[in-house]
Amino acid sequence: MHDIVQKDQFDRLPERYRQRAREIAFRVGEIDRLTARCKPAAIRDAAIRLCGQLRPQPGIEITDFAEEFRQACADLPEWAISEATNDYLGGKVENHTGQYMPTCAEFARHARSIVAPFLGERAGLRREAEKLFERAEDERRRAEIAVERARPGHREWVRNLARSITAGAPQIGSKPHHAADPEMQERIDALKVNREPPPSKLDQTSIVRGARR
């Protein structure tokens, strides 16, 4: 759990957040133990069970298969390898005929699909832990801001700060957007095109024609 909740970070958490952090740490520890790498003996036992019940793939040497199988399953937990073996021998794997040995990649892919929900849960707990610390940090900042705002003279200090920042800056006027020179305004007005309003087409509508009948 040290990569999700550092000890110094945990000590800075408010007490109401620490219980959930402990629960996250405990569950992550369980998942880490559950997904720990197996021992080579577990891989060997699974290969022997498969070879004893299924036909070998055509053109595949058993020694080559054993080495590739070991490499493909090296990072998997023992229980996942056992479950995947049971699924293949029990005919529970989709698109597997139940006659030939699965390839090393097929077997490892199926075994990883068994472990995937636990890894997904661990990733979700990581995100929750990060949000937990973010909320705690936001609360700390809001508390500091509240204390600062309650300090006597704070509003006056803010006003003086704003005046010092805006001192010498050009002022934004409220004048309308038109030429200040009357002659320039006349030239602008002369360029405007006066258009007659479009003729009404109400007389052409069925409602108006029906009302006149």
Side-chain angles (χ1 to χ4, degrees), residues 180-201:
D181 187 358
E183 182 179 353
M184 178 61 70
Q185 187 62 47
E186 291 180 3
R187 293 172 60 186
I188 294 175
D189 294 339
L191 295 175
K192 296 180 180 179
V193 179
N194 295 323
R195 294 186 175 90
E196 294 294 333
S200 176
K201 295 185 178 181

Side-chain angles (χ1 to χ4, degrees), residues 42-212:
I43 303 176
R44 183 184 64 250
D45 293 343
I48 293 174
R49 289 181 61 196
L50 291 171
C51 292
Q53 298 293 328
L54 302 175
R55 299 177 184 176
Q57 289 282 349
I60 300 296
E61 293 291 337
I62 189 63
T63 54
D64 296 337
F65 170 81
E67 178 59 23
E68 293 177 3
F69 192 79
R70 184 189 65 79
Q71 294 179 5
C73 301
D75 61 337
L76 291 169
E78 180 177 346
W79 66 269
I81 295 175
S82 178
E83 287 293 325
T85 304
N86 293 338
D87 288 347
Y88 273 103
L89 296 180
K92 299 178 181 179
V93 180
E94 188 177 357
N95 298 327
H96 183 253
T97 62
Q99 296 184 25
Y100 290 95
M101 293 272 293
T103 65
C104 299
E106 289 172 341
F107 184 90
R109 186 184 306 113
H110 182 65
R112 293 182 200 286
S113 70
I114 299 174
V115 183
F118 297 97
L119 299 181
E121 181 185 357
R122 191 184 193 281
L125 291 172
R126 174 186 290 276
R127 290 191 295 269
E128 183 181 352
E130 292 173 351
K131 294 295 182 182
L132 201 66
F133 285 97
E134 289 176 5
R135 290 200 301 270
E137 182 64 17
D138 288 342
E139 287 188 6
R140 185 190 64 80
R141 291 173 181 172
R142 285 196 294 269
E144 290 181 353
I145 293 173
V147 171
E148 183 65 23
R149 286 177 175 174
R151 183 173 56 85
H154 175 74
R155 292 181 180 274
E156 184 63 25
W157 177 81
V158 172
R159 284 193 291 268
N160 293 335
L161 180 63
R163 293 193 196 100
S164 65
I165 294 175
T166 58
Q171 299 296 319
I172 300 176
S174 59
K175 296 182 179 179
H177 297 283
H178 58 73
D181 187 358
E183 182 179 353
M184 178 61 70
Q185 187 62 47
E186 291 180 3
R187 293 172 60 186
I188 294 175
D189 294 339
L191 295 175
K192 296 180 180 179
V193 179
N194 295 323
R195 294 186 175 90
E196 294 294 333
S200 176
K201 295 185 178 181
L202 289 176
D203 295 338
Q204 302 177 19
T205 63
S206 59
I207 296 176
V208 175
R209 288 199 305 268
R212 291 177 178 176

Side-chain angles (χ1 to χ4, degrees), residues 26-47:
F26 180 79
R27 181 54 181 164
V28 168
E30 286 184 332
I31 295 175
D32 287 344
R33 290 188 293 273
L34 190 66
T35 57
R37 291 189 173 197
C38 67
K39 296 180 180 179
I43 303 176
R44 183 184 64 250
D45 293 343

